[in-house]
Amino acid sequence: MSAQQFDVFFRGDIVAGQTIVEVKERLANLFKLELAQVEPLFSGRPTAIRRNLDEATAKKYEKALLKIGAVV
C-alpha cells in the first residue's frame, strides 16, 4: 500500500490584512522567481504549487505560504 500523496494549490487568496502587492513580492522571493512569473498565480483559478507530496511536506508548504500571506 502506497502512502497518500497531497497537492498544494493556490488561486490568489491572501490573508486578511495583507496587501496583494506584498504577498506577490514575498511569493516571488520564496520561490526565487521574477514578479511577472507569479502574476498568473493570482488569476483566481486553482494552480498547483507542488504535487505528490507526503502529508508532512504539504503541511510545511501550507505553513510557509500562510506565513507570507498566501492562502492555499
Side-chain angles (χ1 to χ4, degrees):
M1 184 171 160
S2 63
Q4 187 173 4
Q5 298 292 296
F6 295 85
D7 298 333
V8 178
F9 283 89
F10 179 67
R11 65 176 189 198
D13 296 330
I14 62 172
V15 173
Q18 301 289 321
T19 69
I20 197 159
V21 172
E22 291 172 335
V23 175
K24 285 179 181 179
E25 289 173 354
R26 289 186 214 130
L27 192 61
N29 287 334
L30 181 66
F31 289 107
K32 296 177 176 59
L33 299 170
E34 295 294 323
L35 195 54
Q37 291 175 288
V38 300
E39 287 291 333
L41 299 176
F42 290 82
S43 68
R45 292 189 334 236
T47 304
I49 300 292
R50 291 289 188 259
R51 290 185 178 271
N52 300 319
L53 303 172
D54 60 70
E55 185 174 8
T57 304
K59 290 282 187 192
K60 285 180 186 178
Y61 272 96
E62 180 182 26
K63 215 178 218 186
L65 289 163
L66 193 58
K67 186 176 179 179
I68 66 166
V71 178
V72 296

